[in-house]
Amino acid sequence: MGAEAAPPRRRPALQAAHRAISALETACGWGASACLFAIMIIVFADVAMRYLLNAPLAWSYDLISLYLMVAVFFLALSATQRDGHHVRVDILLVRWQPRVRHAMELLGNALTAVVLLAIVVQGSLKVRDSWQADAVVAGAIPWPTWATAVFVPIGAGLLLLRLLFSLGSLAAAIGDGSEVAVGTTAGEQAGTAPGA
């Protein structure tokens, strides 16, 4: 009879935090999806106007490149981490014992959290400065720069929150010897669904 993965220990506080963060990630994911849909509609309308009426939408490129693409990228960051879809090399990770795997995940998440904290701080300062200076992009339409910069601290901040949660969850799993950490992709390698 083969060894089966032990079920994760019940940690109500971690599970509640995971659900709350996941709700924020889902809301941001819907926002990213709406922006992607808007890109599709605007590009279609621009092409139709350009080739059928010889009157392209002059504002479409700026709106898409300055706002919508930035929103799609940053709003989807944390949900991508939660679901384990960021690119990573896991040749060794899947072969290690659960405690070692959790420790490596914890180390990687801790280092990433340090970088993300700097991005959130600098991004927030950029938004504040752009807002106070009423900075705009030079062009036919004076697009405000703070409205594009705001997606950086929102997306990076939510990813930072996800990583901080993951640090606590992984530390708890290491401490009690669980094979699965609440709300982390380490559970995927142990045979459970991501986000369990």
Side-chain angles (χ1 to χ4, degrees):
M1 193 156 143
E4 294 182 19
R9 296 196 181 189
R10 296 286 177 214
R11 297 183 190 98
L14 283 174
Q15 291 171 343
H18 174 61
R19 283 191 300 273
I21 295 168
S22 289
L24 291 172
E25 291 165 334
T26 299
C28 284
W30 279 104
S33 297
C35 290
L36 191 59
F37 184 73
I39 290 170
M40 182 184 70
I41 296 299
I42 292 167
V43 168
F44 175 80
D46 186 39
V47 169
M49 296 287 289
R50 178 183 313 270
Y51 292 107
L52 297 177
L53 303 174
N54 200 24
L57 303 173
W59 48 266
S60 65
Y61 178 76
D62 286 340
L63 178 64
I64 290 170
S65 64
L66 294 175
Y67 297 97
L68 297 177
M69 287 299 292
V70 175
V72 167
F73 177 80
F74 281 101
L75 293 178
L77 273 177
S78 189
T80 305
Q81 173 70 22
R82 175 196 64 201
D83 297 340
H85 295 304
H86 282 296
V87 175
R88 71 179 187 183
V89 179
D90 60 0
I91 294 170
L92 296 175
L93 191 66
V94 296
R95 290 174 168 65
W96 287 337
Q97 295 298 316
R99 280 192 177 184
V100 175
R101 184 175 59 238
H102 294 329
M104 292 299 106
E105 292 269 352
L106 193 141
L107 177 63
N109 289 348
L111 294 172
T112 305
V114 170
V115 173
L116 280 172
L117 180 61
I119 291 171
V120 170
V121 169
Q122 290 301 310
S124 299
L125 293 173
K126 170 76 171 162
V127 172
R128 185 200 65 197
D129 294 346
S130 296
W131 175 272
Q132 289 175 345
D134 201 22
V136 296
V137 175
I141 298 175
W143 300 98
T145 59
W146 69 266
T148 189
V150 75
F151 292 113
V152 175
I154 290 172
L158 187 54
L159 180 55
L160 177 61
L161 185 62
R162 167 58 61 190
L163 291 176
L164 292 175
F165 163 79
S166 179
L167 293 177
S169 179
L170 288 165
I174 291 169
D176 65 18
S178 293
E179 291 190 21
V180 178
V182 175
T184 65
T185 57
E188 195 173 4
Q189 283 86 31
T192 62

